[in-house]
Amino acid sequence: MKIIDYLSPQDIVPTLEADNLEDVLREFAQHLGSLKKVKDPEKLVEILLEREKLGSTGIGNGVAIPHGRLPGLDKILVAFGRSPSGIDFHAHDDQPVHLFFLLVAPEESAGAHLKALARISKILKSPDCRRALMESANGEKLFEVISQEDERH
Amino acid sequence: MRLIICGAGVIGSNLARYLSDEGHEINLIEQRQSTAKKASEKLDVRVIVGSATEPSTLETAGVAQSDMVIAVTNTDVSNLIICSLAAAYGAKRRIARVRDPSLKDLLQKFGMAHFHVDEIINPDRVAAEAIVKVMAAPGSREVADFADGKVLLRSFDIHDDSPLVNLKLEDLKEKDFPWPFLLVAINRGGSIVIPHGQDNIETGDRIYTLLPRPSLAEFLTFVHPSVRLPRKVIIYGATNTGESLAMDLSKTVPEVVLLEENRVLAERVAGSLNSVTVINGAASEADILRECGVEASDAFIAVSANDHSNLISAVLAKKLGAKTTVITTQQPDYEAIVSALDINVVINPRLLATDQILRLVRGGRISTVATLPECKAEVLELIPEPDSPVTKKPIRQLKFPKKSIIGAIIRDSEVILAAGDTQVQEGEQVVVFCQEDVVPQVQKFFSKRKLL
């Protein structure tokens, strides 16, 4: 699977305004709400928060993949956001998180869900990609970097 | 090794069985004639009838030449006296079971050497720790941690709402998945399968999974998509376990209720546990359980000293709406009954204490053991010796015993889940799942002595 099958330029938030974990999740949920991709953004916040309470989705190197399963969804949703100042996301390496990939999957999809998470993690493993994402000037550039990296693998 | 075990209760007789199977020379001392008789019928060890606090009994058991004395009678004070006597006779190492928390505090204050004890084992404390782990992993049935908590073993029952149902194992393998896990065994209707890529996960399976610690949360969502941490927990019984559990859980669970039948005891704990609601009443009464708010509780944990009350109250609590039920039981035989009832987790403090003592006895190269009685299996953490067979070839070529699997390896403090092409190196911590009857064979792979 490819990330760009699910991600379009409008799903990208180049500068997240939130300064804490819960607000980041809310900012993402509201963004998806404004795009009419999610009916009830607060429900999504609740699901994402519940997942963070079980254990952080911060995977280290300033990257987090907050995600959850939303009942009633018909396909996977992906969004990307960047926090220039970094957010304490309780990542296991204790580093603040700058790069966020949000993934929302339908309830029953274990296989696709797993593949999407693996794909995102693979793209963000490259230090060059992470640097490029930090340095991109705007949403279009960010989409370009993600698409290029997505094509390379 | 020459070992003396004092007390042929659940801990003592289980230890005797495991350790004699491993070729140790065991002297088992038991005061009660009937218990001693039962032990000598069931076990292939020398049983001495007498009090282990009597010097002459210890002499008969060969205390002066013993490598280790394990004092697990049902009296704390006797266990401490046994250790002191054993030290005076020259026994090399001494382990005592101590339950009374104030005695434990005393030992820590003055130093265990003062009492000639090398290690103390507290089954109540061990049980409380296990229950805390169960609460942090909703849906889990059995819990054990390895490699200083870096690797977790958790078992789960698979229901038809799990996204894992009908998936092939190989579909769950993704090289870059950020929260990897390894299924080491499936208990399917009583028979144990070590699963391979083509095997499916089915409704009704109990699966045993090894997880690097950061993977736990994600895996919980694979077992149950709408999993969440408990918000309200009811603990029944202000026992040592109940009290320490209430204290630990109140740090993470917003609402903790402690139910205790004995008024005086209830009042005492109410004074010492600030963020816990203490209610005085009987857990076998539906009205009392309703007063505790059982219908909105995520877990009902019965840890009173009475196995029957624990069982009955847990069944009742489940009927009244508790999502998960956990009980402690002192009798291993109880587990067969329990599995026929709707109880989620059974914790046997004495069997957990046995595991902990086994670790200490096996020592050095085996640092952690978890026994899984329901599937007659053990999970071991071993460190291969230089030149041992396990370090010579990739896992695929090892001819490792059937009914066993190398699960995880700690390399440079990173957790690696084993695959066919992984090669174990000397000095690494290795977590192995195996059925009881192949434990000695598995151990040989990790020792430099030649395979027999």
Side-chain angles (χ1 to χ4, degrees):
Chain A
M1 72 164 290
K2 294 234 179 287
I3 295 306
I4 41 168
D5 296 341
Y6 301 98
L7 183 82
S8 55
Q10 56 176 6
D11 302 318
I12 291 175
V13 186
T15 308
L16 289 163
E17 280 165 21
D19 62 358
N20 64 62
L21 186 149
E22 188 170 339
D23 287 350
V24 168
L25 302 179
R26 185 160 288 116
E27 197 173 342
F28 267 118
Q30 282 166 356
H31 187 73
L32 290 175
S34 70
L35 295 171
K36 304 270 184 277
K37 292 192 168 186
V38 172
K39 282 194 202 95
D40 183 355
E42 270 310 301
K43 175 78 188 157
L44 178 59
V45 172
E46 199 184 299
I47 287 167
L48 295 171
L49 256 183
E50 216 46 73
R51 173 63 184 80
E52 295 302 326
K53 276 186 199 158
L54 282 173
S56 174
T57 61
I59 56 172
N61 296 317
V63 175
I65 318 177
H67 61 276
R69 293 185 173 91
L70 189 65
L73 209 62
D74 55 3
K75 63 169 216 155
I76 286 178
L77 299 180
V78 179
F80 174 84
R82 185 175 60 173
S83 165
S85 51
I87 285 157
D88 179 6
F89 222 68
H90 312 299
H92 64 83
D93 65 354
D94 291 325
Q95 297 298 310
V97 171
H98 296 278
L99 303 172
F100 292 88
F101 256 107
L102 182 87
L103 177 80
V104 194
E107 248 192 332
E108 55 287 342
S109 64
H113 177 87
L114 195 127
K115 286 192 170 57
L117 287 167
R119 185 83 195 158
I120 292 168
S121 155
K122 185 172 191 173
I123 288 175
L124 291 168
K125 261 191 190 137
S126 143
D128 290 339
C129 175
R130 294 198 301 267
R131 199 175 313 116
L133 288 171
M134 285 307 289
E135 289 167 359
S136 300
N138 53 44
E140 271 164 48
K141 282 267 187 262
L142 284 165
F143 186 74
E144 220 177 280
V145 172
I146 294 166
S147 313
Q148 275 169 11
E149 201 66 27
D150 207 17
E151 287 299 333
R152 277 191 342 122
H153 295 289
Chain B
M1 279 203 285
R2 298 191 58 155
L3 305 168
I4 300 177
I5 299 170
C6 310
V10 173
I11 301 178
S13 55
N14 271 298
L15 277 176
R17 181 167 65 88
Y18 282 114
L19 294 169
S20 67
D21 283 352
E22 283 165 33
H24 297 287
E25 186 191 329
I26 313 281
N27 280 279
L28 178 61
I29 302 176
E30 169 58 45
Q31 189 168 16
R32 294 214 329 245
Q33 194 83 44
S34 58
T35 313
K37 188 161 171 281
K38 237 188 265 170
S40 61
E41 282 164 5
K42 276 205 307 206
L43 301 166
D44 190 18
V45 300
R46 182 179 179 216
V47 180
I48 298 157
V49 185
S51 163
T53 52
E54 293 275 350
S56 60
T57 316
L58 285 172
E59 277 176 30
T60 312
V63 64
Q65 294 82 38
S66 65
D67 295 294
M68 191 181 280
V69 172
I70 304 167
V72 288
T73 75
N74 54 18
T75 330
D76 286 353
V77 176
S78 299
N79 293 338
L80 290 179
I81 291 172
I82 292 165
C83 287
S84 292
L85 285 173
Y89 276 108
K92 290 196 192 75
R93 283 181 77 198
R94 297 153 310 266
I95 299 172
R97 190 222 68 172
V98 176
R99 284 184 66 191
D100 183 351
S102 58
L103 207 51
K104 189 182 143 246
D105 292 345
L106 189 84
L107 282 161
Q108 268 160 357
K109 187 173 165 199
F110 293 108
M112 295 204 290
H114 207 79
F115 296 83
H116 307 284
V117 180
D118 294 302
E119 306 277 353
I120 56 172
I121 301 294
N122 181 350
D124 304 323
R125 184 69 215 147
V126 179
E129 283 166 4
I131 295 171
V132 169
K133 285 174 195 160
V134 168
M135 288 297 114
S140 59
R141 308 277 308 217
E142 289 140 296
V143 294
D145 295 1
F146 299 87
D148 312 310
K150 289 196 188 78
V151 178
L152 314 176
L153 175 85
R154 300 288 183 267
S155 72
F156 302 92
D157 287 344
I158 298 300
H159 301 288
D160 51 13
D161 63 347
S162 164
L164 294 174
V165 170
N166 293 332
L167 281 183
K168 276 202 180 72
L169 252 54
E170 61 183 13
D171 295 334
L172 292 166
K173 273 225 161 26
E174 270 301 326
K175 197 173 123 295
D176 295 295
F177 185 57
W179 297 286
F181 55 86
L182 183 72
L183 242 65
V184 290
I186 298 176
N187 184 344
R188 186 168 291 163
S191 56
I192 307 302
V193 184
I194 306 261
H196 299 282
Q198 291 299 312
D199 288 317
N200 267 329
I201 298 171
E202 295 172 8
T203 303
D205 283 351
R206 177 169 298 180
I207 58 169
Y208 292 81
T209 312
L210 278 181
L211 302 148
R213 181 173 284 280
S215 295
L216 174 65
E218 186 64 21
F219 194 75
L220 294 174
T221 71
F222 279 115
V223 176
H224 199 297
S226 54
V227 62
R228 54 170 221 186
L229 286 178
R231 286 168 172 74
K232 175 169 183 162
V233 165
I234 302 170
I235 300 165
Y236 162 49
T239 51
N240 291 336
T241 306
E243 207 179 331
S244 92
L245 199 52
M247 199 132 57
D248 288 349
L249 287 180
S250 65
K251 289 174 202 150
T252 52
V253 179
E255 200 182 346
V256 178
V257 177
L258 179 58
L259 178 60
E260 168 57 47
E261 275 174 69
N262 181 308
R263 175 173 292 279
V264 181
L265 195 53
E267 275 165 13
R268 186 182 67 71
V269 292
S272 66
L273 295 168
N274 292 327
S275 47
V276 175
T277 309
V278 180
I279 293 179
N280 177 221
S284 53
E285 290 172 22
D287 287 346
I288 296 285
L289 288 180
R290 285 198 195 96
E291 192 188 321
C292 296
V294 69
E295 72 289 344
S297 67
D298 295 297
F300 178 85
I301 308 168
V303 293
S304 84
N306 185 321
D307 281 7
H308 292 268
S309 308
N310 290 346
L311 196 61
I312 289 163
S313 61
V315 171
L316 184 60
K318 191 66 169 271
K319 258 207 147 63
L320 294 173
K323 284 194 195 72
T324 300
T325 48
V326 180
I327 65 168
T328 55
T329 157
Q330 305 301 329
Q331 291 308 322
D333 305 342
Y334 234 69
E335 275 171 34
I337 311 167
V338 168
S339 59
L341 295 165
D342 190 13
I343 290 184
N344 296 95
V345 181
V346 183
I347 300 281
N348 189 315
R350 292 175 181 169
L351 292 186
L352 292 178
T354 307
D355 287 354
Q356 215 179 44
I357 297 172
L358 278 177
R359 283 167 217 167
L360 295 169
V361 177
R362 288 165 168 173
R365 302 223 156 243
I366 305 185
S367 47
T368 312
V369 183
T371 54
L372 305 165
E374 271 190 63
C375 47
K376 293 194 168 43
E378 288 190 32
V379 187
L380 309 172
E381 180 185 324
L382 306 116
I383 299 174
E385 291 180 10
D387 280 335
S388 55
V390 76
T391 62
K392 304 273 176 160
K393 290 174 192 161
I395 290 170
R396 186 181 290 121
Q397 296 168 27
L398 273 179
K399 295 199 178 113
F400 212 60
K402 276 184 185 151
K403 302 196 280 184
S404 68
I405 175 173
I406 294 181
I409 295 156
I410 314 298
R411 181 170 296 164
D412 306 323
S413 71
E414 293 276 325
V415 178
I416 298 170
L417 294 175
D421 56 356
T422 312
Q423 186 157 352
V424 174
Q425 291 158 28
E426 65 169 83
E428 295 176 336
Q429 289 158 285
V430 183
V431 182
V432 178
F433 177 100
C434 60
Q435 295 214 265
E436 274 171 11
D437 50 344
V438 295
V439 170
Q441 268 169 278
V442 167
Q443 288 188 8
K444 279 177 195 149
F445 273 87
F446 288 80
S447 122
K448 66 175 160 245
R449 276 167 293 167
K450 281 224 174 83
L451 287 176
L452 296 174

